[in-house]
Amino acid sequence: MPISDQSICMCALETSAGPWLLLAGSREADFEPLRKLFETLSQSPATVLLELQPYISASGQISLELCSQTDPPSKDRFSLSQLKTKLQDYSMARLHWIDETAGSYQWSGTPKEWEERALLLEPLIRKQTPGHIYLTDSAADVADIVVSRGEYPDLINA
């Protein structure tokens, strides 16, 4: 059943570049609620299930938990060994599996990272021309998160 023209379809794909979590919308899709969610995560710690948002239509068995973390600890408060231990949490992948069998991912970030992700969506909001943006680091994460406007009609209309 096709999703509405305003909805964003969330699906997992295996591509020649590796695994993707794709957030795809038609040219008419409204990406502003997604940008606002990222902005909210930049302002206060929270955990949100993306597939439960009214503007998201999840395709298949997929769950994406968005998690806002606190900023990395200040270097002034800890000894070098304590700091290394604490910073390890911030050098790990930002997108990882919660349960691979169930298709559950967690995507985390600091307030600054969520603010940057919100800004990256601006071109898709301002222009209604086809295009896409990568929001993760494929070298560190279990998949790339790609936000796309008007590029995958076969997935959007499936």
Side-chain angles (χ1 to χ4, degrees):
M1 172 163 103
I3 62 172
S4 84
D5 286 344
Q6 294 294 308
S7 294
I8 300 168
C9 177
M10 178 172 68
C11 62
L13 298 174
E14 194 59 44
T15 73
S16 60
W20 281 11
L21 285 183
L22 180 65
L23 300 171
S26 68
R27 283 186 171 193
E28 296 79 26
D30 186 4
F31 288 91
E32 180 62 17
L34 184 61
R35 189 201 64 75
K36 283 183 181 177
L37 176 60
F38 291 175
E39 191 174 86
T40 298
L41 290 169
S42 78
Q43 296 170 0
S44 61
T47 299
V48 175
L49 289 174
L50 189 58
E51 67 275 12
L52 297 182
Q53 303 310 303
Y55 49 89
I56 297 292
S57 174
S59 176
Q61 184 178 351
I62 185 170
S63 176
L64 181 55
E65 180 180 285
L66 308 180
C67 180
S68 179
Q69 301 174 332
T70 57
D71 285 315
S74 165
K75 295 177 183 176
D76 300 328
R77 295 189 224 159
F78 305 101
S79 71
L80 184 56
S81 63
Q82 290 172 317
L83 180 62
K84 279 184 178 180
T85 301
K86 293 199 176 287
L87 287 176
Q88 283 177 352
D89 292 337
Y90 296 92
S91 62
M92 295 171 36
R94 298 295 192 206
L95 178 68
H96 63 272
W97 288 108
I98 293 174
D99 183 344
E100 188 171 355
T101 306
S104 297
Y105 298 85
Q106 183 183 62
W107 188 21
S108 61
T110 63
K112 179 82 173 148
E113 289 168 327
W114 287 112
E115 181 181 350
E116 290 169 359
R117 292 167 184 164
L119 289 172
L120 285 170
L121 291 178
E122 289 292 330
L124 289 179
I125 293 166
R126 283 193 312 252
K127 298 178 183 178
Q128 289 193 350
T129 57
H132 61 273
I133 299 168
Y134 292 86
L135 295 179
T136 52
D137 176 5
S138 60
D141 296 311
V142 297
D144 284 327
I145 294 182
V146 180
V147 181
S148 170
R149 174 189 290 280
E151 295 183 305
Y152 297 94
D154 53 328
L155 293 173
I156 295 168
N157 296 317

